[in-house]
Coordinates of all heavy atoms in Angstrom, one line a residue:
I6 N 23.1 -45.1 -69.7 CA 22.8 -44.3 -68.6 C 23.6 -44.7 -67.4 O 24.1 -43.8 -66.6 CB 21.3 -44.3 -68.4 CG1 20.6 -43.5 -69.5 CG2 20.9 -43.7 -67.0 CD1 20.8 -42.0 -69.5
D7 N 23.7 -46.0 -67.1 CA 24.4 -46.4 -66.0 C 25.9 -46.0 -66.1 O 26.4 -45.5 -65.1 CB 24.4 -48.0 -65.9 CG 25.0 -48.5 -64.7 OD1 24.8 -48.0 -63.6 OD2 25.7 -49.6 -64.8
R8 N 26.4 -46.1 -67.2 CA 27.9 -45.8 -67.4 C 28.2 -44.3 -67.4 O 29.2 -43.8 -66.8 CB 28.3 -46.3 -68.8 CG 29.7 -46.1 -69.2 CD 30.0 -47.0 -70.4 NE 31.4 -46.9 -70.8 CZ 32.0 -47.7 -71.7 NH1 31.3 -48.6 -72.3 NH2 33.2 -47.5 -72.1
H9 N 27.3 -43.5 -68.0 CA 27.6 -42.0 -68.2 C 26.9 -41.1 -67.3 O 27.3 -39.9 -67.2 CB 27.4 -41.6 -69.7 CG 28.3 -42.4 -70.6 ND1 29.6 -42.1 -70.8 CD2 28.0 -43.4 -71.5 CE1 30.1 -42.9 -71.7 NE2 29.2 -43.7 -72.1
A10 N 25.8 -41.6 -66.7 CA 25.0 -40.7 -65.8 C 25.0 -41.2 -64.4 O 25.5 -40.5 -63.4 CB 23.6 -40.6 -66.3
L11 N 24.5 -42.4 -64.1 CA 24.4 -42.9 -62.8 C 25.8 -43.0 -62.1 O 25.9 -42.6 -60.9 CB 23.7 -44.3 -62.7 CG 22.3 -44.3 -63.3 CD1 21.8 -45.8 -63.3 CD2 21.4 -43.4 -62.5
S12 N 26.7 -43.5 -62.7 CA 28.1 -43.7 -62.1 C 28.7 -42.3 -61.8 O 29.7 -42.3 -61.0 CB 29.0 -44.6 -63.0 OG 29.3 -43.9 -64.2
Q13 N 28.3 -41.3 -62.5 CA 28.9 -40.0 -62.4 C 28.0 -39.0 -61.5 O 28.3 -37.9 -61.3 CB 29.0 -39.3 -63.7 CG 29.7 -40.2 -64.8 CD 31.2 -40.4 -64.6 OE1 31.8 -39.5 -63.9 NE2 31.7 -41.4 -65.0
G14 N 26.8 -39.5 -61.1 CA 25.9 -38.7 -60.3 C 25.2 -37.6 -61.1 O 24.8 -36.6 -60.6
R15 N 25.1 -37.8 -62.4 CA 24.6 -36.8 -63.3 C 23.0 -37.0 -63.4 O 22.6 -38.1 -63.6 CB 25.2 -36.9 -64.7 CG 26.7 -36.5 -64.7 CD 27.3 -36.9 -66.0 NE 28.7 -36.4 -66.1 CZ 29.6 -37.0 -66.9 NH1 29.3 -38.0 -67.7 NH2 30.8 -36.5 -66.9
P16 N 22.3 -35.9 -63.3 CA 20.8 -36.0 -63.6 C 20.6 -36.6 -65.0 O 21.3 -36.3 -65.9 CB 20.3 -34.6 -63.5 CG 21.4 -33.8 -62.7 CD 22.7 -34.5 -63.0
N17 N 19.6 -37.4 -65.1 CA 19.3 -38.1 -66.4 C 17.9 -38.5 -66.5 O 17.2 -38.7 -65.5 CB 20.3 -39.3 -66.4 CG 19.9 -40.3 -65.4 OD1 19.1 -41.2 -65.6 ND2 20.5 -40.2 -64.2
V18 N 17.5 -38.8 -67.7 CA 16.2 -39.4 -68.0 C 16.3 -40.0 -69.4 O 17.0 -39.6 -70.3 CB 15.1 -38.3 -68.0 CG1 15.2 -37.3 -69.1 CG2 13.7 -39.0 -67.9
L19 N 15.6 -41.1 -69.6 CA 15.5 -41.8 -70.8 C 14.1 -41.8 -71.3 O 13.1 -42.2 -70.6 CB 16.0 -43.3 -70.7 CG 16.2 -44.1 -72.0 CD1 17.2 -45.2 -71.8 CD2 14.9 -44.6 -72.6
I20 N 13.9 -41.2 -72.5 CA 12.5 -41.1 -73.1 C 12.4 -42.0 -74.2 O 13.2 -42.0 -75.2 CB 12.3 -39.6 -73.5 CG1 12.4 -38.7 -72.3 CG2 10.9 -39.5 -74.2 CD1 12.4 -37.2 -72.7
E21 N 11.3 -42.8 -74.2 CA 10.9 -43.7 -75.3 C 9.6 -43.2 -75.9 O 8.7 -42.9 -75.2 CB 10.7 -45.1 -74.8 CG 11.9 -45.8 -74.2 CD 12.4 -46.9 -75.1 OE1 12.0 -46.9 -76.3 OE2 13.3 -47.7 -74.7
V22 N 9.7 -43.0 -77.3 CA 8.5 -42.6 -78.0 C 8.1 -43.7 -78.9 O 8.9 -44.3 -79.6 CB 8.7 -41.3 -78.8 CG1 7.4 -40.9 -79.5 CG2 9.2 -40.2 -77.8
R23 N 6.8 -44.0 -79.0 CA 6.3 -45.1 -79.9 C 6.7 -44.7 -81.3 O 6.4 -43.6 -81.8 CB 4.8 -45.3 -79.7 CG 4.4 -46.7 -80.1 CD 2.9 -46.9 -79.8 NE 2.1 -46.0 -80.7 CZ 0.9 -45.6 -80.5 NH1 0.3 -45.9 -79.3 NH2 0.3 -44.9 -81.4
N24 N 7.3 -45.7 -82.0 CA 8.0 -45.3 -83.3 C 7.0 -44.9 -84.4 O 7.4 -44.2 -85.3 CB 9.0 -46.3 -83.7 CG 8.4 -47.6 -84.1 OD1 7.3 -47.8 -84.5 ND2 9.3 -48.7 -84.0
D25 N 5.8 -45.3 -84.4 CA 4.9 -44.9 -85.4 C 4.5 -43.4 -85.3 O 4.0 -42.8 -86.3 CB 3.6 -45.7 -85.4 CG 2.8 -45.6 -84.1 OD1 3.4 -45.7 -83.0 OD2 1.6 -45.5 -84.2
L26 N 4.8 -42.8 -84.2 CA 4.5 -41.4 -84.0 C 5.7 -40.5 -84.5 O 5.5 -39.3 -84.6 CB 4.2 -41.1 -82.5 CG 3.1 -41.9 -81.9 CD1 3.0 -41.6 -80.4 CD2 1.8 -41.6 -82.6
I27 N 6.8 -41.1 -84.7 CA 8.0 -40.3 -85.0 C 8.8 -40.8 -86.3 O 9.9 -40.4 -86.5 CB 9.0 -40.1 -83.8 CG1 9.5 -41.5 -83.3 CG2 8.4 -39.3 -82.7 CD1 10.6 -41.4 -82.3
E28 N 8.1 -41.7 -87.0 CA 8.8 -42.2 -88.2 C 9.0 -41.1 -89.3 O 9.9 -41.3 -90.1 CB 8.1 -43.4 -88.7 CG 6.7 -43.3 -89.1 CD 6.0 -44.6 -89.4 OE1 6.8 -45.6 -89.6 OE2 4.8 -44.6 -89.4
E29 N 8.1 -40.1 -89.3 CA 8.2 -39.0 -90.2 C 8.7 -37.8 -89.5 O 8.6 -37.6 -88.3 CB 6.9 -38.8 -90.9 CG 6.3 -40.0 -91.6 CD 7.0 -40.4 -92.8 OE1 7.8 -39.6 -93.3 OE2 6.9 -41.6 -93.2
E30 N 9.3 -36.9 -90.3 CA 9.9 -35.6 -89.8 C 8.9 -34.8 -89.0 O 9.2 -34.2 -88.0 CB 10.5 -34.8 -90.9 CG 11.2 -33.6 -90.4 CD 11.8 -32.7 -91.5 OE1 11.6 -33.1 -92.7 OE2 12.5 -31.8 -91.2
A31 N 7.6 -34.7 -89.5 CA 6.6 -33.9 -88.8 C 6.4 -34.4 -87.4 O 6.3 -33.6 -86.5 CB 5.3 -33.9 -89.6
G32 N 6.4 -35.7 -87.2 CA 6.2 -36.2 -85.9 C 7.4 -36.0 -85.0 O 7.3 -35.7 -83.8

């Protein structure tokens, strides 16, 4: 994000999802 967004002034966000909630396709 620092390299490709912040240094370029691009809007950005980083989303972390707890992995037990998305380990399967349905999640």
Side-chain angles (χ1 to χ4, degrees):
I6 289 292
D7 187 42
R8 181 170 181 168
H9 298 286
L11 297 177
S12 66
Q13 312 287 334
R15 293 167 175 157
N17 64 91
V18 68
L19 189 157
I20 300 172
E21 294 256 10
V22 181
R23 206 176 67 204
N24 66 26
D25 61 316
L26 302 177
I27 57 169
E28 58 188 343
E29 303 293 340
E30 183 180 7

